């Protein structure tokens, strides 16, 4: 084996000898590679003599190449005499071990040795020992790359942490480069964003996120600039429509594509260069959509219960039951709908408008006390005929939808609830939502029925008392 001293101190021969020139250059290259390694390195031949020793080993232990290369054995200088035989056995048994098959790690082994510094201090080193063989597979010695055991364990923990984050971690992890393109993503993050991990690689986040993208990119850019958010932040993101892994549109899943992601951002810098070169940002998040929606639903229900209670107390002070019915409309609207229409069954059939909230609707208002000319199949007529709530949506795609239904022009979603009292249907109560609001759902229909029961009781009382 070529020694380190030979590689460093060899002189370049005359240019006419091409083969020697190549060999010397090759030796010089080997010496440069060894000295440029981040790991400390030495090599032994089959007799236990040190043949190579790089500068990193000198910086770590204090022994120079001139002191180390050529020594027969490690006892008395690199290890204690009492440990020399055992260390030599562990090193050389790697060289004598049977060669492993291709791809089996070249027969390398990991060992821990107590090495001595030049000043006599003793430090536990974690070493990777690899056999060196000739072309016919005969052992020639071993080379040993080593570092402080604690530092090596820290490195291995960091690597294990990276693998765990990008593996089956219980939270989403996405790595973005300085151009904010995805370079790595784990399965949970891809699932939360509704895309397969392969489809995300190399793509900007704008390909997958709609509303909320500005806030996300702002957090990423601040992190790249060295000013990451100090606390986890809640980001509400709307996912873009697209094709999922099964080939169908992503929107075929839950209709609500908004996600609440409790997010943290960590800047990534290179640990092997002195200058702080940004490698990107780690975006780590937990999908809290279900918990947030449950909390919002509970808060919404508390507010609605409070509105029903306030409306009942206010209605109890009204001498006229019709005023009490209108009060229930006013209290039902906040946080629920923009408009409420109260229609009762007329004596000649059809529906008659008796109240509306707010008092002046957008566009032409229907005169109170006059029949409303609803067309056949109108949701309000369906609610009266079937005795069940009817939900309708159409304003988003049809500009004349609200006008055709004789509703305010800004209406996009409707909920028509029958007014039932003493086993009879007295009319219909219609709630309307405008642009930017979601459609009515089943929970909304349940709340509308609660309001309708109170309104129907007030209307029935007004009829009994003859005030209407």
């Amino acid at each position: 084996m070529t020694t380190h001293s030979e590689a460093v101190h060899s002189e370049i021969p005359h240019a006419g000898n091409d083969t020697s020139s190549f060999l010397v250059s090759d030796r010089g290259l080997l010496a440069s590679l060894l000295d440029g390694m981040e790991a400390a390195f030495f090599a032994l031949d089959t007799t236990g003599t040190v043949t190579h020793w790089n500068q990193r080993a000198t910086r770590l232990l204090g022994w120079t190449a001139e002191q180390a290369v050529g020594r027969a054995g490690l006892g008395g200088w690199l290890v204690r005499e009492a440990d020399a035989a055992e260390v030599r056995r562990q090193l050389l048994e790697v060289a004598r071990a049977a060669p492993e098959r291709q791809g089996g790690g070249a027969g390398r082994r990991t060992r821990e040795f107590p090495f001595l510094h030049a000043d006599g201090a003793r430090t536990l080193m974690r070493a990777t020992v690899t056999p060196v063989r000739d072309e016919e597979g005969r052992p020639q010695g071993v080379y040993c790359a080593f570092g402080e055991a604690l530092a090596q364990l820290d490195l291995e923990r960091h690597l294990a942490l990276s693998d765990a984050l990008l593996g089956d971690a219980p939270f989403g992890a996405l790595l973005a480069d300085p151009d904010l393109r995805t370079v790595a993503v784990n399965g949970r993050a891809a699932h939360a964003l509704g895309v397969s991990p392969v489809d995300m690689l190399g793509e900007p986040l704008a390909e997958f996120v709609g509303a909320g993208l500005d806030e996300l990119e702002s957090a990423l850019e601040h992190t790249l600039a060295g000013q990451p958010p100090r606390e986890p932040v809640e980001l509400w993101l709307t996912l873009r429509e697209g094709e999922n892994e099964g080939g169908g549109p992503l929107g075929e899943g839950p209709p609500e594509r908004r996600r609440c992601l409790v997010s943290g951002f960590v800047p990534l810098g290179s640990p092997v260069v002195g200058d702080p070169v940004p490698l990107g940002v780690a975006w780590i998040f937990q999908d809290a959509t279900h918990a947030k929606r449950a909390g919002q639903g509970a808060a919404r229900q508390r507010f609605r219960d409070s509105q029903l209670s306030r409306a009942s107390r206010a209605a109890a002070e009204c001498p006229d039951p019709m005023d009490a019915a209108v009060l229930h409309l006013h209290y039902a609207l906040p946080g629920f709908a923009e408009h409420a229409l109260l229609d009762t069954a007329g004596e000649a059939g059809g529906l008659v408008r008796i109240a509306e909230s707010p008092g002046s609707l957008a566009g032409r208002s229907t005169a109170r006390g006059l029949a409303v000319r609803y067309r056949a199949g109108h949701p309000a007529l369906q609610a009266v005929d079937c005795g069940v709530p009817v939900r309708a949506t159409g304003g988003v795609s049809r500009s004349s939808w609200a006008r055709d239904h004789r509703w305010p022009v800004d209406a996009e979603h409707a909920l028509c609830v029958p007014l039932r009292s003493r086993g009879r249907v007295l009319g219909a109560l219609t709630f309307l939502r405008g642009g930017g609001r979601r459609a009515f759902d089943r929970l909304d229909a349940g709340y509308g029925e609660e309001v309708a029961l109170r309104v129907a009781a007030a209307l029935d009382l007004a009829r009994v008392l003859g005030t209407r």
Side-chain angles (χ1 to χ4, degrees), residues 16 55 92 115 348 362 365 434:
Q55 292 183 4
L92 294 184
F115 286 168
S365 61

Side-chain angles (χ1 to χ4, degrees), residues 128-183:
T128 299
V129 185
T130 306
V132 179
R133 295 186 175 90
D134 61 15
E135 296 179 354
E136 298 180 358
R138 292 189 296 265
Q140 298 293 302
V142 295
Y143 66 83
C144 177
F146 65 94
E148 292 187 12
L150 294 179
Q152 292 289 323
L153 288 175
D154 285 342
L155 176 60
E156 292 178 13
R157 291 190 187 103
H158 292 162
L159 295 175
L161 175 61
S162 300
D163 289 341
L165 286 176
L166 296 175
D168 297 328
F171 40 79
L174 183 148
L175 305 185
D177 64 12
D179 296 327
L180 303 187
R181 292 180 178 271
T182 305
V183 295

Side-chain angles (χ1 to χ4, degrees), residues 145-459:
F146 65 94
E148 292 187 12
L150 294 179
Q152 292 289 323
L153 288 175
D154 285 342
L155 176 60
E156 292 178 13
R157 291 190 187 103
H158 292 162
L159 295 175
L161 175 61
S162 300
D163 289 341
L165 286 176
L166 296 175
D168 297 328
F171 40 79
L174 183 148
L175 305 185
D177 64 12
D179 296 327
L180 303 187
R181 292 180 178 271
T182 305
V183 295
V185 61
N186 68 358
R188 190 172 292 268
H191 177 74
L193 298 177
V195 191
S196 69
V198 175
D199 292 338
M200 296 193 68
L201 296 181
E203 298 292 340
L205 293 172
E207 293 291 327
F208 316 105
V209 178
L213 177 64
D214 291 341
E215 291 80 0
L216 174 58
E217 289 187 339
S218 176
L220 293 171
E221 290 167 355
H222 277 78
T223 303
L224 281 172
Q227 299 176 343
R230 294 183 177 272
E231 301 291 337
V233 296
E234 291 184 4
L235 295 177
W236 280 94
L237 306 178
T238 300
L239 308 184
R240 290 190 182 277
E241 298 289 341
E243 295 295 319
N244 60 11
E245 296 180 13
L250 291 171
E252 284 185 357
E256 184 59 68
R257 298 188 55 77
R258 295 190 70 217
R259 297 285 187 271
C260 178
L261 305 180
V262 180
S263 305
F265 300 90
V266 181
L268 302 178
S270 175
V272 299
V273 296
D275 297 332
V277 178
L279 297 180
V281 180
W283 174 27
I284 302 172
F285 60 85
Q286 185 78 36
D287 188 351
T289 306
H290 295 299
K292 289 295 179 181
R293 291 201 186 285
Q296 290 175 348
R300 184 185 302 116
Q301 188 61 47
R302 287 194 299 269
F303 174 75
R304 290 177 177 179
D305 291 344
S306 174
Q307 289 296 98
L308 290 174
S309 177
R310 292 178 60 199
S312 297
R313 288 196 298 269
E317 302 299 327
C318 294
D320 186 347
M322 282 301 302
D323 292 340
V326 175
L327 267 178
H328 281 292
L329 299 187
H330 294 332
Y331 276 96
L333 286 184
F336 184 65
E338 278 76 37
H339 306 297
L341 311 177
L342 179 57
D343 302 326
T344 59
E347 296 180 357
L351 295 176
V352 177
R353 177 68 46 78
I354 63 171
E356 55 193 28
S357 180
S360 177
L361 300 179
R364 185 179 61 184
S365 61
T366 303
R368 295 176 179 85
L370 296 182
V372 184
R373 296 191 301 274
Y374 288 140
R375 59 175 176 79
H378 191 280
L381 297 179
Q382 292 182 36
V384 172
D385 294 339
C386 300
V388 295
V390 177
R391 289 174 283 164
T393 296
V396 176
S397 58
R398 295 172 52 192
S399 58
S400 62
W401 180 78
R403 185 170 59 253
D404 293 342
H405 286 78
R406 304 188 67 79
W407 288 330
V409 294
D410 62 342
E412 293 185 358
H413 311 288
L415 170 65
C416 299
V417 187
L419 299 170
R420 302 180 61 87
S421 179
R422 294 192 295 169
R424 297 173 298 151
V425 177
L426 306 181
L429 176 58
T430 300
F431 295 102
L432 301 173
R433 286 177 177 172
R437 297 287 297 273
R438 61 178 177 83
F440 290 98
D441 57 20
R442 292 183 179 180
L443 294 178
D444 295 330
Y447 178 64
E449 288 184 292
E450 289 290 335
V451 176
L453 288 175
R454 289 163 171 77
V455 173
L459 289 179

Side-chain angles (χ1 to χ4, degrees), residues 4 34-35 37-42 52-69 77-78 116-119 125 146:
H4 179 81
L34 294 180
D35 288 339
M37 291 176 60
E38 288 295 325
F41 175 96
F42 71 88
H52 295 76
W53 185 273
N54 73 348
Q55 292 183 4
R56 178 63 178 170
T58 299
R59 290 194 298 269
L60 190 61
L61 296 175
W63 302 104
T64 64
E66 289 75 13
Q67 293 174 309
V69 173
W77 64 284
L78 188 59
L116 295 174
H117 291 254
D119 60 4
M125 297 291 176
F146 65 94

Side-chain angles (χ1 to χ4, degrees), residues 9-79:
H9 299 293
S10 296
E11 297 181 358
I12 300 177
H14 297 292
N17 190 343
D18 294 337
T19 304
S20 298
S21 177
F22 174 79
L23 291 175
V24 172
S25 299
D26 188 52
R27 293 170 181 172
L29 176 61
L30 175 61
S32 298
L33 289 174
L34 294 180
D35 288 339
M37 291 176 60
E38 288 295 325
F41 175 96
F42 71 88
L44 303 176
D45 61 17
T46 54
T47 66
T49 301
V50 179
T51 60
H52 295 76
W53 185 273
N54 73 348
Q55 292 183 4
R56 178 63 178 170
T58 299
R59 290 194 298 269
L60 190 61
L61 296 175
W63 302 104
T64 64
E66 289 75 13
Q67 293 174 309
V69 173
R71 281 182 179 262
L74 306 178
W77 64 284
L78 188 59
V79 297

